[in-house]
């Protein structure tokens, strides 16, 4: 059973940094993309970043490019989202997700962690 557990959210001032983690368990993720998404109440969940576990190649939404960095630690089976230069508009619940590289939809999701950026 796949389990994704996020941690690291919190309250930070604008310009600050947070490092989110996503502990993945239940299978080997070498054939998976790991994604980070975020959602604000009343809005659709939006893509933030993703990383191919095996190759380590990453993709970012334009709104976070050059500020956020996604990475993974194979030994710890954990994916990270380093968020720098945070803005109030980054405030959201952040979710970790996983999908097989052969699939288009993410079908495994964590419970989410709240990130609040004050101005």
């Amino acid at each position: 059973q796949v389990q994704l557990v996020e941690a690291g959210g919190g309250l930070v001032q604008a310009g600050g940094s947070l490092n989110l983690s996503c502990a993945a368990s239940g299978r080997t993720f070498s054939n998976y993309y790991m994604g980070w998404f975020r959602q604000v109440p009343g809005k659709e969940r939006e893509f933030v970043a993703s990383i191919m576990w095996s190759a380590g190649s990453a993709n970012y939404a334009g709104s976070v490019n050059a500020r956020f960095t996604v990475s993974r630690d194979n030994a710890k089976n954990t994916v990270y989202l380093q968020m720098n230069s945070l803005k109030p508009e980054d405030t959201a619940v952040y979710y970790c997700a996983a999908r097989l590289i052969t699939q288009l939809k993410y079908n495994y999701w964590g419970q989410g962690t709240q990130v609040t950026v004050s101005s």
Side-chain angles (χ1 to χ4, degrees):
Q1 181 180 352
V2 173
Q3 206 169 16
L4 305 174
V5 180
E6 302 99 333
L11 173 63
V12 64
Q13 285 190 329
S17 298
L18 282 174
N19 190 23
L20 305 184
S21 63
C22 172
S25 62
R27 63 188 56 189
T28 302
F29 290 91
S30 56
N31 291 329
Y32 280 75
Y33 276 102
M34 305 299 293
W36 285 98
F37 293 77
R38 65 188 182 187
Q39 190 169 24
V40 175
K43 291 192 174 182
E44 299 236 336
R45 191 173 296 185
E46 66 170 354
F47 169 80
V48 174
S50 67
I51 185 167
M52 181 187 285
W53 196 290
S54 56
S57 52
N59 287 292
Y60 300 93
S63 58
V64 307
N65 200 19
R67 297 190 298 124
F68 291 10
T69 303
V70 61
S71 62
R72 84 270 188 256
D73 184 327
N74 289 328
K76 295 183 178 180
N77 236 32
T78 299
V79 178
Y80 300 95
L81 184 67
Q82 176 66 43
M83 306 187 294
N84 298 327
S85 302
L86 282 162
K87 305 175 182 179
E89 50 264 44
D90 294 318
T91 295
V93 177
Y94 283 71
Y95 296 90
C96 175
R99 66 172 175 90
L100 279 166
I101 59 176
T102 53
Q103 295 180 341
L104 294 178
K105 286 187 66 174
Y106 285 85
N107 50 0
Y108 299 108
W109 294 86
Q111 82 287 353
T113 185
Q114 176 71 47
V115 171
T116 303
V117 184
S118 63
S119 57

